[in-house]
Amino acid sequence: MKKSITLLLLLSVVFVNAQSRARQKTTSAKTVLSKSSVSKGNSSKDSLNKDNKAFAFVAKNEIVKDTIQNEVVGKLKVYKKSVHASYYADKFNGQRTTSGVRFSNNDYTAAHKKFPFGTKLKITNEANGKSVIVEVIDRGPFVRSREIDLTKRAFMEIAKNKGSGSMIVTIEEIVQ
């Protein structure tokens, strides 16, 4: 029963992703953040992602703009390159994290061993260049080879191979 529900959920996610990619291809000129509008801090509807997802494509050390709230968040500071990232298992949904917040695999959050709670990080998949902005709300992962745990939604947003459980990423801290 669990396998069939999981398979149905996975197929629906793939279908939704295919539809959003088709929409993005038709409006690709509008969804890419232009370097000039980001560095000046202008709020422009052309620089917003159509689906209001929490990631932005920006040049190195440029000002980062949060596409959900449409406000300037801060500058990027590289923390580590070429580290392993994984994602939370579904069994943790609804449980309290170390920070006291209830965990949801549908949010853009992460677990890291050292960053303070509330720290915003830009995680970039080195295989395809996709990135996502997440907030640290938990401690972990407790496996030596891994540096960060992402929620399933954030992980799948930037994953090249949806079937894999880990990927090589670059972690950048967003400083005010």
Side-chain angles (χ1 to χ4, degrees), residues 5-171:
I5 291 172
T6 305
L7 183 62
L8 181 63
L9 180 63
L10 182 63
L11 289 174
S12 64
V13 168
V14 169
F15 179 73
V16 169
N17 282 341
Q19 283 184 339
S20 70
R21 283 188 190 140
R23 269 189 266 131
Q24 285 178 352
K25 284 182 182 177
T26 59
T27 60
S28 63
K30 292 182 180 179
T31 58
V32 176
L33 288 172
S34 66
K35 186 176 178 181
S36 61
S37 68
V38 171
S39 62
K40 291 179 185 174
N42 295 338
S43 63
S44 164
K45 289 196 174 192
D46 289 343
S47 66
L48 284 177
N49 189 328
K50 185 167 176 97
D51 297 332
N52 287 335
K53 295 180 181 170
F55 66 94
F57 297 101
V58 293
K60 196 173 193 177
N61 294 328
E62 290 293 322
I63 296 174
V64 177
K65 197 169 200 176
D66 187 351
T67 57
I68 288 179
Q69 297 173 355
N70 196 21
E71 62 186 33
V72 174
V73 178
K75 292 193 177 206
L76 296 175
K77 179 182 170 187
V78 176
Y79 175 69
K80 283 189 178 178
K81 292 184 176 185
S82 300
V83 294
H84 286 271
S86 57
Y87 65 91
Y88 279 92
D90 289 330
K91 69 180 183 179
F92 295 111
N93 267 333
Q95 294 185 7
R96 290 213 183 265
T97 61
T98 309
S99 66
V101 179
R102 288 212 181 266
F103 174 74
S104 172
N105 247 338
N106 292 321
D107 294 339
Y108 290 95
T109 58
H112 194 270
K113 297 170 192 163
K114 296 181 181 176
F115 280 115
F117 298 132
T119 303
K120 299 247 185 198
L121 303 173
K122 179 183 174 196
I123 311 298
T124 306
N125 184 351
E126 293 183 359
N128 59 11
K130 289 185 179 181
S131 61
V132 67
I133 296 174
V134 295
E135 182 180 353
V136 176
I137 63 164
D138 202 5
R139 292 292 172 231
F142 299 108
V143 177
R144 272 183 207 228
S145 63
R146 296 187 192 143
E147 183 70 27
I148 192 163
D149 266 343
L150 302 172
T151 57
K152 198 168 194 176
R153 183 174 187 180
F155 185 91
M156 293 302 171
E157 191 79 36
I158 62 174
K160 182 176 181 180
N161 180 3
K162 305 292 186 197
S164 67
S166 68
M167 68 175 100
I168 305 295
V169 298
T170 298
I171 301 173

